[in-house]
PDB file of all heavy atoms in Angstrom:
ATOM      1  N   LEU A 263       0.827  -1.194   0.000  1.00 92.00           N
ATOM      2  CA  LEU A 263       0.000   0.000   0.000  1.00 92.00           C
ATOM      3  C   LEU A 263       0.870   1.257   0.000  1.00 92.00           C
ATOM      4  O   LEU A 263       0.506   2.265  -0.598  1.00 92.00           O
ATOM      5  CB  LEU A 263      -0.925   0.009   1.219  1.00 92.00           C
ATOM      6  CG  LEU A 263      -1.867   1.194   1.365  1.00 92.00           C
ATOM      7  CD1 LEU A 263      -2.889   1.184   0.232  1.00 92.00           C
ATOM      8  CD2 LEU A 263      -2.561   1.164   2.693  1.00 92.00           C
ATOM      9  N   GLY A 264       2.018   1.180   0.642  1.00 92.00           N
ATOM     10  CA  GLY A 264       2.886   2.348   0.760  1.00 92.00           C
ATOM     11  C   GLY A 264       3.542   2.753  -0.542  1.00 92.00           C
ATOM     12  O   GLY A 264       3.784   3.942  -0.775  1.00 92.00           O
ATOM     13  N   ILE A 265       3.844   1.797  -1.393  1.00 93.00           N
ATOM     14  CA  ILE A 265       4.523   2.117  -2.656  1.00 93.00           C
ATOM     15  C   ILE A 265       3.658   3.010  -3.543  1.00 93.00           C
ATOM     16  O   ILE A 265       4.090   4.095  -3.934  1.00 93.00           O
ATOM     17  CB  ILE A 265       4.967   0.825  -3.375  1.00 93.00           C
ATOM     18  CG1 ILE A 265       6.093   0.155  -2.587  1.00 93.00           C
ATOM     19  CG2 ILE A 265       5.416   1.112  -4.795  1.00 93.00           C
ATOM     20  CD1 ILE A 265       6.448  -1.231  -3.085  1.00 93.00           C
ATOM     21  N   PRO A 266       2.427   2.633  -3.902  1.00 92.00           N
ATOM     22  CA  PRO A 266       1.631   3.534  -4.747  1.00 92.00           C
ATOM     23  C   PRO A 266       1.262   4.828  -4.035  1.00 92.00           C
ATOM     24  O   PRO A 266       1.163   5.887  -4.661  1.00 92.00           O
ATOM     25  CB  PRO A 266       0.379   2.738  -5.106  1.00 92.00           C
ATOM     26  CG  PRO A 266       0.449   1.470  -4.399  1.00 92.00           C
ATOM     27  CD  PRO A 266       1.746   1.362  -3.702  1.00 92.00           C
ATOM     28  N   LEU A 267       1.092   4.763  -2.717  1.00 94.00           N
ATOM     29  CA  LEU A 267       0.774   5.976  -1.973  1.00 94.00           C
ATOM     30  C   LEU A 267       1.957   6.937  -2.005  1.00 94.00           C
ATOM     31  O   LEU A 267       1.768   8.142  -2.214  1.00 94.00           O
ATOM     32  CB  LEU A 267       0.408   5.620  -0.532  1.00 94.00           C
ATOM     33  CG  LEU A 267      -0.166   6.728   0.316  1.00 94.00           C
ATOM     34  CD1 LEU A 267      -1.492   7.208  -0.268  1.00 94.00           C
ATOM     35  CD2 LEU A 267      -0.360   6.248   1.731  1.00 94.00           C
ATOM     36  N   GLY A 268       3.161   6.432  -1.851  1.00 93.00           N
ATOM     37  CA  GLY A 268       4.350   7.279  -1.924  1.00 93.00           C
ATOM     38  C   GLY A 268       4.546   7.871  -3.303  1.00 93.00           C
ATOM     39  O   GLY A 268       4.893   9.046  -3.450  1.00 93.00           O
ATOM     40  N   VAL A 269       4.309   7.060  -4.326  1.00 94.00           N
ATOM     41  CA  VAL A 269       4.439   7.561  -5.699  1.00 94.00           C
ATOM     42  C   VAL A 269       3.393   8.641  -5.973  1.00 94.00           C
ATOM     43  O   VAL A 269       3.688   9.656  -6.605  1.00 94.00           O
ATOM     44  CB  VAL A 269       4.311   6.393  -6.709  1.00 94.00           C
ATOM     45  CG1 VAL A 269       4.159   6.894  -8.122  1.00 94.00           C
ATOM     46  CG2 VAL A 269       5.510   5.476  -6.599  1.00 94.00           C
ATOM     47  N   ALA A 270       2.183   8.446  -5.475  1.00 94.00           N
ATOM     48  CA  ALA A 270       1.128   9.443  -5.693  1.00 94.00           C
ATOM     49  C   ALA A 270       1.452  10.749  -4.978  1.00 94.00           C
ATOM     50  O   ALA A 270       1.267  11.833  -5.545  1.00 94.00           O
ATOM     51  CB  ALA A 270      -0.216   8.898  -5.206  1.00 94.00           C
ATOM     52  N   ILE A 271       1.952  10.668  -3.762  1.00 94.00           N
ATOM     53  CA  ILE A 271       2.302  11.886  -3.022  1.00 94.00           C
ATOM     54  C   ILE A 271       3.454  12.605  -3.705  1.00 94.00           C
ATOM     55  O   ILE A 271       3.436  13.831  -3.874  1.00 94.00           O
ATOM     56  CB  ILE A 271       2.632  11.539  -1.556  1.00 94.00           C
ATOM     57  CG1 ILE A 271       1.365  11.104  -0.827  1.00 94.00           C
ATOM     58  CG2 ILE A 271       3.281  12.717  -0.836  1.00 94.00           C
ATOM     59  CD1 ILE A 271       1.603  10.530   0.544  1.00 94.00           C
ATOM     60  N   PHE A 272       4.465  11.850  -4.113  1.00 93.00           N
ATOM     61  CA  PHE A 272       5.617  12.458  -4.781  1.00 93.00           C
ATOM     62  C   PHE A 272       5.202  13.119  -6.091  1.00 93.00           C
ATOM     63  O   PHE A 272       5.603  14.241  -6.389  1.00 93.00           O
ATOM     64  CB  PHE A 272       6.683  11.400  -5.036  1.00 93.00           C
ATOM     65  CG  PHE A 272       7.868  11.922  -5.791  1.00 93.00           C
ATOM     66  CD1 PHE A 272       8.796  12.735  -5.171  1.00 93.00           C
ATOM     67  CD2 PHE A 272       8.049  11.600  -7.129  1.00 93.00           C
ATOM     68  CE1 PHE A 272       9.882  13.228  -5.868  1.00 93.00           C
ATOM     69  CE2 PHE A 272       9.134  12.074  -7.835  1.00 93.00           C
ATOM     70  CZ  PHE A 272      10.055  12.899  -7.195  1.00 93.00           C
ATOM     71  N   SER A 273       4.378  12.431  -6.887  1.00 92.00           N
ATOM     72  CA  SER A 273       3.977  13.003  -8.171  1.00 92.00           C
ATOM     73  C   SER A 273       3.068  14.215  -7.976  1.00 92.00           C
ATOM     74  O   SER A 273       3.165  15.188  -8.720  1.00 92.00           O
ATOM     75  CB  SER A 273       3.290  11.951  -9.032  1.00 92.00           C
ATOM     76  OG  SER A 273       2.113  11.494  -8.389  1.00 92.00           O
ATOM     77  N   TYR A 274       2.201  14.186  -6.976  1.00 92.00           N
ATOM     78  CA  TYR A 274       1.356  15.348  -6.710  1.00 92.00           C
ATOM     79  C   TYR A 274       2.209  16.546  -6.316  1.00 92.00           C
ATOM     80  O   TYR A 274       1.966  17.664  -6.786  1.00 92.00           O
ATOM     81  CB  TYR A 274       0.345  15.038  -5.600  1.00 92.00           C
ATOM     82  CG  TYR A 274      -0.511  16.219  -5.225  1.00 92.00           C
ATOM     83  CD1 TYR A 274      -1.552  16.615  -6.050  1.00 92.00           C
ATOM     84  CD2 TYR A 274      -0.269  16.946  -4.069  1.00 92.00           C
ATOM     85  CE1 TYR A 274      -2.335  17.710  -5.734  1.00 92.00           C
ATOM     86  CE2 TYR A 274      -1.042  18.039  -3.743  1.00 92.00           C
ATOM     87  CZ  TYR A 274      -2.081  18.409  -4.575  1.00 92.00           C
ATOM     88  OH  TYR A 274      -2.842  19.497  -4.252  1.00 92.00           O
ATOM     89  N   TYR A 275       3.216  16.305  -5.488  1.00 89.00           N
ATOM     90  CA  TYR A 275       4.099  17.397  -5.087  1.00 89.00           C
ATOM     91  C   TYR A 275       4.856  17.961  -6.283  1.00 89.00           C
ATOM     92  O   TYR A 275       4.962  19.170  -6.451  1.00 89.00           O
ATOM     93  CB  TYR A 275       5.083  16.910  -4.024  1.00 89.00           C
ATOM     94  CG  TYR A 275       6.121  17.936  -3.670  1.00 89.00           C
ATOM     95  CD1 TYR A 275       5.796  19.023  -2.866  1.00 89.00           C
ATOM     96  CD2 TYR A 275       7.413  17.842  -4.150  1.00 89.00           C
ATOM     97  CE1 TYR A 275       6.742  19.989  -2.543  1.00 89.00           C
ATOM     98  CE2 TYR A 275       8.360  18.795  -3.834  1.00 89.00           C
ATOM     99  CZ  TYR A 275       8.026  19.855  -3.033  1.00 89.00           C
ATOM    100  OH  TYR A 275       8.959  20.801  -2.737  1.00 89.00           O
ATOM    101  N   GLU A 276       5.385  17.077  -7.121  1.00 88.00           N
ATOM    102  CA  GLU A 276       6.155  17.531  -8.273  1.00 88.00           C
ATOM    103  C   GLU A 276       5.278  18.258  -9.296  1.00 88.00           C
ATOM    104  O   GLU A 276       5.732  19.184  -9.953  1.00 88.00           O
ATOM    105  CB  GLU A 276       6.864  16.361  -8.943  1.00 88.00           C
ATOM    106  CG  GLU A 276       8.011  15.804  -8.123  1.00 88.00           C
ATOM    107  CD  GLU A 276       9.130  16.805  -7.935  1.00 88.00           C
ATOM    108  OE1 GLU A 276       9.435  17.553  -8.881  1.00 88.00           O
ATOM    109  OE2 GLU A 276       9.689  16.848  -6.828  1.00 88.00           O
ATOM    110  N   LEU A 277       4.037  17.835  -9.441  1.00 88.00           N
ATOM    111  CA  LEU A 277       3.151  18.485 -10.400  1.00 88.00           C
ATOM    112  C   LEU A 277       2.615  19.815  -9.883  1.00 88.00           C
ATOM    113  O   LEU A 277       2.346  20.731 -10.661  1.00 88.00           O
ATOM    114  CB  LEU A 277       1.978  17.573 -10.754  1.00 88.00           C
ATOM    115  CG  LEU A 277       2.329  16.380 -11.639  1.00 88.00           C
ATOM    116  CD1 LEU A 277       1.118  15.478 -11.763  1.00 88.00           C
ATOM    117  CD2 LEU A 277       2.791  16.838 -13.003  1.00 88.00           C
ATOM    118  N   SER A 278       2.445  19.931  -8.566  1.00 87.00           N
ATOM    119  CA  SER A 278       1.847  21.144  -8.040  1.00 87.00           C
ATOM    120  C   SER A 278       2.876  22.189  -7.629  1.00 87.00           C
ATOM    121  O   SER A 278       2.539  23.361  -7.515  1.00 87.00           O
ATOM    122  CB  SER A 278       0.953  20.815  -6.841  1.00 87.00           C
ATOM    123  OG  SER A 278       1.742  20.261  -5.797  1.00 87.00           O
ATOM    124  N   TYR A 279       4.124  21.813  -7.412  1.00 80.00           N
ATOM    125  CA  TYR A 279       5.145  22.769  -6.992  1.00 80.00           C
ATOM    126  C   TYR A 279       5.670  23.518  -8.208  1.00 80.00           C
ATOM    127  O   TYR A 279       6.195  22.932  -9.137  1.00 80.00           O
ATOM    128  CB  TYR A 279       6.287  22.061  -6.277  1.00 80.00           C
ATOM    129  CG  TYR A 279       7.379  23.004  -5.827  1.00 80.00           C
ATOM    130  CD1 TYR A 279       7.150  23.905  -4.804  1.00 80.00           C
ATOM    131  CD2 TYR A 279       8.618  22.992  -6.437  1.00 80.00           C
ATOM    132  CE1 TYR A 279       8.129  24.768  -4.398  1.00 80.00           C
ATOM    133  CE2 TYR A 279       9.615  23.852  -6.032  1.00 80.00           C
ATOM    134  CZ  TYR A 279       9.372  24.733  -5.002  1.00 80.00           C
ATOM    135  OH  TYR A 279      10.344  25.592  -4.605  1.00 80.00           O
ATOM    136  N   VAL A 280       5.528  24.825  -8.182  1.00 76.00           N
ATOM    137  CA  VAL A 280       5.947  25.637  -9.312  1.00 76.00           C
ATOM    138  C   VAL A 280       7.360  26.130  -9.120  1.00 76.00           C
ATOM    139  O   VAL A 280       8.136  26.235 -10.066  1.00 76.00           O
ATOM    140  CB  VAL A 280       4.975  26.828  -9.514  1.00 76.00           C
ATOM    141  CG1 VAL A 280       5.433  27.711 -10.644  1.00 76.00           C
ATOM    142  CG2 VAL A 280       3.584  26.321  -9.744  1.00 76.00           C
ATOM    143  N   GLY A 281       7.730  26.461  -7.907  1.00 77.00           N
ATOM    144  CA  GLY A 281       9.063  26.987  -7.652  1.00 77.00           C
ATOM    145  C   GLY A 281       9.095  28.484  -7.841  1.00 77.00           C
ATOM    146  O   GLY A 281       8.076  29.159  -8.019  1.00 77.00           O
ATOM    147  N   ASP A 282      10.289  29.027  -7.811  1.00 77.00           N
ATOM    148  CA  ASP A 282      10.449  30.464  -7.996  1.00 77.00           C
ATOM    149  C   ASP A 282      10.449  30.791  -9.481  1.00 77.00           C
ATOM    150  O   ASP A 282      11.311  30.332 -10.226  1.00 77.00           O
ATOM    151  CB  ASP A 282      11.755  30.933  -7.358  1.00 77.00           C
ATOM    152  CG  ASP A 282      11.729  30.730  -5.855  1.00 77.00           C
ATOM    153  OD1 ASP A 282      10.636  30.827  -5.267  1.00 77.00           O
ATOM    154  OD2 ASP A 282      12.807  30.472  -5.275  1.00 77.00           O
ATOM    155  N   VAL A 283       9.453  31.570  -9.884  1.00 73.00           N
ATOM    156  CA  VAL A 283       9.360  31.964 -11.280  1.00 73.00           C
ATOM    157  C   VAL A 283       9.909  33.382 -11.389  1.00 73.00           C
ATOM    158  O   VAL A 283       9.387  34.307 -10.760  1.00 73.00           O
ATOM    159  CB  VAL A 283       7.900  31.916 -11.779  1.00 73.00           C
ATOM    160  CG1 VAL A 283       7.804  32.351 -13.221  1.00 73.00           C
ATOM    161  CG2 VAL A 283       7.335  30.531 -11.585  1.00 73.00           C
ATOM    162  N   PRO A 284      10.964  33.569 -12.160  1.00 77.00           N
ATOM    163  CA  PRO A 284      11.519  34.924 -12.274  1.00 77.00           C
ATOM    164  C   PRO A 284      10.570  35.822 -13.065  1.00 77.00           C
ATOM    165  O   PRO A 284       9.867  35.396 -13.974  1.00 77.00           O
ATOM    166  CB  PRO A 284      12.834  34.717 -13.028  1.00 77.00           C
ATOM    167  CG  PRO A 284      12.658  33.429 -13.769  1.00 77.00           C
ATOM    168  CD  PRO A 284      11.724  32.598 -12.936  1.00 77.00           C
ATOM    169  N   GLN A 285      10.563  37.084 -12.677  1.00 79.00           N
ATOM    170  CA  GLN A 285       9.721  38.049 -13.364  1.00 79.00           C
ATOM    171  C   GLN A 285      10.334  38.374 -14.720  1.00 79.00           C
ATOM    172  O   GLN A 285      11.531  38.629 -14.826  1.00 79.00           O
ATOM    173  CB  GLN A 285       9.593  39.337 -12.536  1.00 79.00           C
ATOM    174  CG  GLN A 285       8.909  39.138 -11.210  1.00 79.00           C
ATOM    175  CD  GLN A 285       7.438  38.817 -11.381  1.00 79.00           C
ATOM    176  OE1 GLN A 285       6.817  39.246 -12.357  1.00 79.00           O
ATOM    177  NE2 GLN A 285       6.892  38.056 -10.455  1.00 79.00           N
ATOM    178  N   LYS A 286       9.518  38.352 -15.751  1.00 80.00           N
ATOM    179  CA  LYS A 286      10.004  38.680 -17.085  1.00 80.00           C
ATOM    180  C   LYS A 286       9.981  40.183 -17.290  1.00 80.00           C
ATOM    181  O   LYS A 286       9.032  40.861 -16.887  1.00 80.00           O
ATOM    182  CB  LYS A 286       9.156  37.991 -18.159  1.00 80.00           C
ATOM    183  CG  LYS A 286       9.341  36.514 -18.218  1.00 80.00           C
ATOM    184  CD  LYS A 286       8.623  35.942 -19.419  1.00 80.00           C
ATOM    185  CE  LYS A 286       8.890  34.472 -19.543  1.00 80.00           C
ATOM    186  NZ  LYS A 286       8.252  33.909 -20.719  1.00 80.00           N
ATOM    187  N   GLN A 287      10.999  40.643 -17.921  1.00 80.00           N
ATOM    188  CA  GLN A 287      11.072  42.057 -18.268  1.00 80.00           C
ATOM    189  C   GLN A 287      10.280  42.275 -19.556  1.00 80.00           C
ATOM    190  O   GLN A 287      10.347  41.467 -20.480  1.00 80.00           O
ATOM    191  CB  GLN A 287      12.532  42.475 -18.477  1.00 80.00           C
ATOM    192  CG  GLN A 287      13.390  42.297 -17.240  1.00 80.00           C
ATOM    193  CD  GLN A 287      12.954  43.219 -16.111  1.00 80.00           C
ATOM    194  OE1 GLN A 287      12.427  44.305 -16.353  1.00 80.00           O
ATOM    195  NE2 GLN A 287      13.155  42.766 -14.882  1.00 80.00           N
ATOM    196  N   PRO A 288       9.514  43.335 -19.618  1.00 78.00           N
ATOM    197  CA  PRO A 288       8.766  43.576 -20.858  1.00 78.00           C
ATOM    198  C   PRO A 288       9.746  43.829 -22.018  1.00 78.00           C
ATOM    199  O   PRO A 288      10.690  44.592 -21.904  1.00 78.00           O
ATOM    200  CB  PRO A 288       7.931  44.815 -20.562  1.00 78.00           C
ATOM    201  CG  PRO A 288       8.527  45.417 -19.355  1.00 78.00           C
ATOM    202  CD  PRO A 288       9.272  44.348 -18.616  1.00 78.00           C
ATOM    203  N   GLU A 289       9.514  43.096 -23.070  1.00 77.00           N
ATOM    204  CA  GLU A 289      10.397  43.211 -24.233  1.00 77.00           C
ATOM    205  C   GLU A 289       9.749  44.097 -25.288  1.00 77.00           C
ATOM    206  O   GLU A 289       8.528  44.263 -25.324  1.00 77.00           O
ATOM    207  CB  GLU A 289      10.671  41.831 -24.819  1.00 77.00           C
ATOM    208  CG  GLU A 289      11.421  40.913 -23.871  1.00 77.00           C
ATOM    209  CD  GLU A 289      11.627  39.532 -24.469  1.00 77.00           C
ATOM    210  OE1 GLU A 289      11.242  39.319 -25.633  1.00 77.00           O
ATOM    211  OE2 GLU A 289      12.159  38.684 -23.759  1.00 77.00           O
ATOM    212  N   LYS A 290      10.582  44.591 -26.148  1.00 76.00           N
ATOM    213  CA  LYS A 290      10.091  45.390 -27.257  1.00 76.00           C
ATOM    214  C   LYS A 290       9.388  44.457 -28.238  1.00 76.00           C
ATOM    215  O   LYS A 290       9.908  43.409 -28.601  1.00 76.00           O
ATOM    216  CB  LYS A 290      11.262  46.093 -27.943  1.00 76.00           C
ATOM    217  CG  LYS A 290      10.850  47.008 -29.045  1.00 76.00           C
ATOM    218  CD  LYS A 290      12.067  47.660 -29.649  1.00 76.00           C
ATOM    219  CE  LYS A 290      11.663  48.459 -30.857  1.00 76.00           C
ATOM    220  NZ  LYS A 290      12.829  49.023 -31.530  1.00 76.00           N
ATOM    221  N   THR A 291       8.194  44.811 -28.633  1.00 74.00           N
ATOM    222  CA  THR A 291       7.450  43.950 -29.548  1.00 74.00           C
ATOM    223  C   THR A 291       8.082  44.019 -30.933  1.00 74.00           C
ATOM    224  O   THR A 291       8.386  45.104 -31.443  1.00 74.00           O
ATOM    225  CB  THR A 291       5.977  44.383 -29.638  1.00 74.00           C
ATOM    226  OG1 THR A 291       5.925  45.737 -30.034  1.00 74.00           O
ATOM    227  CG2 THR A 291       5.274  44.193 -28.314  1.00 74.00           C
ATOM    228  N   PRO A 292       8.287  42.879 -31.554  1.00 71.00           N
ATOM    229  CA  PRO A 292       8.889  42.890 -32.889  1.00 71.00           C
ATOM    230  C   PRO A 292       7.879  43.366 -33.929  1.00 71.00           C
ATOM    231  O   PRO A 292       6.660  43.298 -33.737  1.00 71.00           O
ATOM    232  CB  PRO A 292       9.257  41.431 -33.125  1.00 71.00           C
ATOM    233  CG  PRO A 292       8.318  40.664 -32.270  1.00 71.00           C
ATOM    234  CD  PRO A 292       8.051  41.528 -31.069  1.00 71.00           C
ATOM    235  N   ASP A 293       8.410  43.853 -35.023  1.00 72.00           N
ATOM    236  CA  ASP A 293       7.541  44.274 -36.120  1.00 72.00           C
ATOM    237  C   ASP A 293       6.909  43.041 -36.746  1.00 72.00           C
ATOM    238  O   ASP A 293       7.597  42.079 -37.096  1.00 72.00           O
ATOM    239  CB  ASP A 293       8.352  45.034 -37.170  1.00 72.00           C
ATOM    240  CG  ASP A 293       8.889  46.344 -36.605  1.00 72.00           C
ATOM    241  OD1 ASP A 293       8.245  46.897 -35.690  1.00 72.00           O
ATOM    242  OD2 ASP A 293       9.964  46.784 -37.078  1.00 72.00           O
ATOM    243  N   LEU A 294       5.607  43.066 -36.861  1.00 72.00           N
ATOM    244  CA  LEU A 294       4.891  41.922 -37.397  1.00 72.00           C
ATOM    245  C   LEU A 294       4.696  42.081 -38.898  1.00 72.00           C
ATOM    246  O   LEU A 294       4.380  43.164 -39.391  1.00 72.00           O
ATOM    247  CB  LEU A 294       3.533  41.782 -36.718  1.00 72.00           C
ATOM    248  CG  LEU A 294       3.561  41.539 -35.207  1.00 72.00           C
ATOM    249  CD1 LEU A 294       2.144  41.498 -34.679  1.00 72.00           C
ATOM    250  CD2 LEU A 294       4.282  40.242 -34.909  1.00 72.00           C
TER     251      LEU A 294
END
């Protein structure tokens, strides 16, 4: 029972954890 439960907890954590997302600097829009 512990093996699938551990895998489910680990995968849920990895899927839901975003981490530190750096702020993007606004870029100049290219000519379209």
Side-chain angles (χ1 to χ4, degrees):
L263 180 66
I265 291 171
L267 190 63
V269 168
I271 291 171
F272 177 74
S273 62
Y274 177 76
Y275 174 76
E276 289 296 322
L277 288 173
S278 63
Y279 180 69
V280 177
D282 296 328
V283 179
Q285 296 291 331
K286 290 188 176 182
Q287 299 295 331
E289 296 178 3
K290 184 180 174 184
T291 57
D293 295 332
L294 298 177

